[in-house]
């Protein structure tokens, strides 16, 4: 996607082919910087500290992390240890284990001297496939947006099509295009008049800092709102559709996404607003059926609730980025990173293969499974 007129992806090989660069998303939106990863420990830290985040991008970073590990030691024990270290960094997003298993299975039959190069090739393939899947999600989602826009009452057709999204499921969460934002980018480029309500997405504010950053660079009209404003907007007819991403989707269509997604789904259901979830195949966990029971929910540091980062507006430190405490001394914080939205609240799943009902039958029909 575009930043100041230049096309960017979120991750890529450095010129030496032995290390990886990533966009440091903890610095956005006030600073745009890249970071070089040359060891498995740096890759693991980048994932756990959310230098990189978003289920698809976590998976690609993990794949390259195995490459970095194998460059130092390509033995079976080292491979197993590297797999476990990377897999433990973020427990909820299924893409991570999927990508790690794919690289591991590719290199295991090979002699040790060939493993690092094979891992590099496989990680590159995973990255390219992610771009293609996200572009396809955008195409299928564009069709839905066009149909919904055309079906609006005549009085509303002269107004922008109003979408609401939660967290960041754009190109910063993938290698390029994104999942939930891909249809929005495609709609903009197709000439559709639209506007996006961007949930701030506390506590890490991925909507306010990342989604708003992306949309602004692409010239898409948007407004940042507090997380609790979505239901009010839906009640007053200011939302035509909701579209979000997912970090893990069960075989029957339950979706696990950033905390607060479930509340948006409830509000949408109560107000008759379509609620769509966009995802690539790598986000489907076919081994799970009941998301509420089986998906592990990552609990992150309470510090993310207690404090917030932002740019100083005035005074001697104006323009600098600082972290400030929100709560009184001694107050505790609880920080579940995700929640589960039951399939019954999902209008449809927008995948790289097409649009499906949020059900086991719907997903299997797309992926040719019995």
């Amino acid at each position: 996607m575009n930043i100041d007129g230049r096309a960017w992806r979120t991750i890529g090989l450095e010129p030496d082919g032995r290390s990886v660069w990533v966009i440091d998303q903890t610095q956005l939106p006030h600073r745009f910087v890249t970071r070089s990863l040359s060891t498995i420990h740096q890759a693991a830290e980048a994932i756990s500290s959310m230098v990189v985040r978003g289920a698809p991008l976590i998976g690609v970073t993990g794949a390259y992390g195995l490459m970095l590990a194998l460059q130092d030691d390509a033995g079976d024990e080292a491979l197993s240890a590297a797999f476990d270290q990377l897999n433990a960094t973020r427990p909820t997003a299924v893409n991570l284990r999927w990508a790690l298993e794919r690289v591991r299975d590719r290199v295991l039959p090979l002699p040790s001297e060939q493993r690092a190069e094979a891992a590099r090739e496989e990680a590159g393939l995973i990255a390219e496939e992610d771009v293609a899947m996200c572009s396809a999600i955008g195409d299928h989602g564009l069709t839905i947006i066009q149909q919904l826009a055309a079906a609006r009452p005549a009085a509303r057709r002269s107004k922008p099509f109003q979408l609401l999204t939660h967290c960041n499921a754009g190109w910063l969460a993938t290698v390029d295009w994104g999942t939930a934002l891909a249809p929005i980018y495609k709609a903009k480029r197709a000439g559709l008049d639209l506007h996006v309500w961007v949930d701030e997405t506390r506590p890490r504010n991925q909507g306010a800092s990342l989604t708003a950053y992306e949309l602004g660079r692409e010239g898409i009209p948007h407004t940042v709102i507090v997380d609790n404003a979505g239901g009010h907007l839906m009640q007053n007819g200011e939302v035509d559709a909701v579209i979000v991403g997912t970090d893990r989707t069960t075989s029957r269509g339950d979706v696990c996404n950033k905390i607060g997604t479930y509340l948006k789904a409830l509000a949408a259901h109560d107000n008759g607003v379509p609620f769509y979830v966009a995802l690539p195949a790598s986000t489907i966990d076919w081994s799970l059926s009941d998301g509420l029971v089986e998906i592990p929910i990552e609990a992150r540091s309470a510090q993310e609730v207690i404090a917030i980062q932002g740019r100083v507006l005035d005074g001697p430190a104006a323009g600098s980025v600082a972290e400030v405490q929100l709560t009184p001394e001694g107050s505790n914080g609880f920080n579940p990173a995700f929640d589960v939205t039951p399939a019954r609240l999902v209008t449809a799943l927008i995948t790289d293969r097409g649009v499906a009902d949020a059900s086991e039958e719907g997903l299997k029909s797309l992926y040719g499974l019995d």
Side-chain angles (χ1 to χ4, degrees):
M1 302 304 286
N2 296 317
I3 299 176
D4 299 329
R6 176 181 171 183
W8 281 89
R9 288 185 174 184
T10 54
I11 189 170
L13 283 171
E14 295 279 19
D16 63 6
R18 293 183 55 82
S19 52
V20 181
W21 62 264
V22 296
I23 296 173
D24 186 346
Q25 298 189 33
T26 65
Q27 301 297 309
L28 292 172
H30 306 300
R31 301 189 188 113
F32 180 86
V33 297
T34 60
R35 180 187 292 196
S36 186
L37 311 176
S38 58
T39 69
I40 180 179
H41 305 294
Q42 291 174 343
E45 190 276 334
I47 296 171
S48 62
S49 67
M50 297 181 72
V51 167
V52 296
R53 27 71 54 207
L57 179 56
I58 288 171
V60 174
T61 306
Y64 276 119
L66 276 187
M67 177 203 81
L68 297 174
L70 293 172
Q71 290 176 163
D72 292 333
D73 186 342
D76 287 355
E77 288 187 8
L79 173 60
S80 178
F83 182 102
D84 291 342
Q85 180 181 351
L86 290 163
N87 189 50
T89 54
R90 297 292 304 275
T92 299
V94 72
N95 306 61
L96 178 57
R97 173 175 281 277
W98 170 84
L100 292 173
E101 288 178 343
R102 182 164 156 178
V103 174
R104 181 194 62 190
D105 293 347
R106 167 76 184 277
V107 305
L108 263 178
L110 301 175
S112 59
E113 64 270 17
Q114 296 179 17
R115 285 180 171 180
E117 179 59 30
R120 182 181 296 106
E121 292 176 359
E122 194 66 22
L125 285 173
I126 293 171
E128 293 303 323
E129 290 170 12
D130 182 70
V131 176
M133 286 191 290
C134 288
S135 180
I137 289 168
D139 291 334
H140 296 304
L142 168 60
T143 299
I144 289 175
I145 292 174
Q146 289 173 326
Q147 292 171 345
L148 291 174
R152 290 185 299 173
R156 289 191 56 82
R157 291 179 200 166
S158 60
K159 300 179 180 179
F161 188 79
Q162 301 270 28
L163 288 146
L164 184 144
T165 191
H166 187 69
C167 196
N168 174 258
W171 70 271
L172 287 167
T174 64
V175 178
D176 205 352
W177 283 108
T179 56
L181 294 193
I184 295 172
Y185 291 135
K186 298 271 186 172
K188 173 67 174 178
R189 296 182 186 192
L192 188 70
D193 185 19
L194 52 80
H195 170 267
V196 183
W197 297 108
V198 179
D199 283 349
E200 61 178 346
T201 324
R202 284 276 293 145
R204 290 192 64 92
N205 301 296
Q206 295 101 320
S209 61
L210 303 179
T211 297
Y213 180 84
E214 288 191 35
L215 295 175
R217 292 306 182 275
E218 286 287 320
I220 295 176
H222 63 280
T223 304
V224 177
I225 58 173
V226 297
D227 289 344
N228 289 332
H232 169 75
L233 292 171
M234 293 182 212
Q235 284 179 325
N236 286 276
E238 295 296 330
V239 179
D240 293 305
V242 179
I243 182 168
V244 300
T246 172
D247 287 76
R248 187 182 297 213
T249 304
T250 70
S251 61
R252 74 178 189 187
D254 297 334
V255 295
C256 182
N257 194 50
K258 184 57 60 181
I259 193 75
T261 302
Y262 172 54
L263 294 179
K264 297 301 180 300
L266 286 173
H269 185 265
D270 191 54
N271 289 280
V273 175
F275 183 91
Y276 295 97
V277 180
L279 63 142
S282 58
T283 309
I284 304 171
D285 189 340
W286 296 101
S287 70
L288 302 185
S289 58
D290 189 339
L292 290 170
V293 174
E294 298 175 286
I295 295 178
I297 300 299
E298 175 185 1
R300 294 186 59 81
S301 169
Q303 184 65 21
E304 294 179 352
V305 176
I306 292 168
I308 192 169
Q309 177 178 285
R311 188 170 63 184
V312 179
L313 294 178
D314 51 32
S320 65
V321 176
E323 185 176 49
V324 297
Q325 183 169 316
L326 295 172
T327 59
E329 287 293 337
S331 292
N332 296 322
F334 176 53
N335 188 16
F338 303 92
D339 59 26
V340 175
T341 299
R344 63 181 174 82
L345 297 177
V346 178
T347 302
L349 301 171
I350 307 172
T351 81
D352 52 293
R353 296 284 187 91
V355 181
D357 289 336
S359 66
E360 187 170 4
E361 295 75 16
L363 282 171
K364 286 183 174 180
S365 69
L366 284 184
Y367 291 92
L369 301 174
D370 296 328

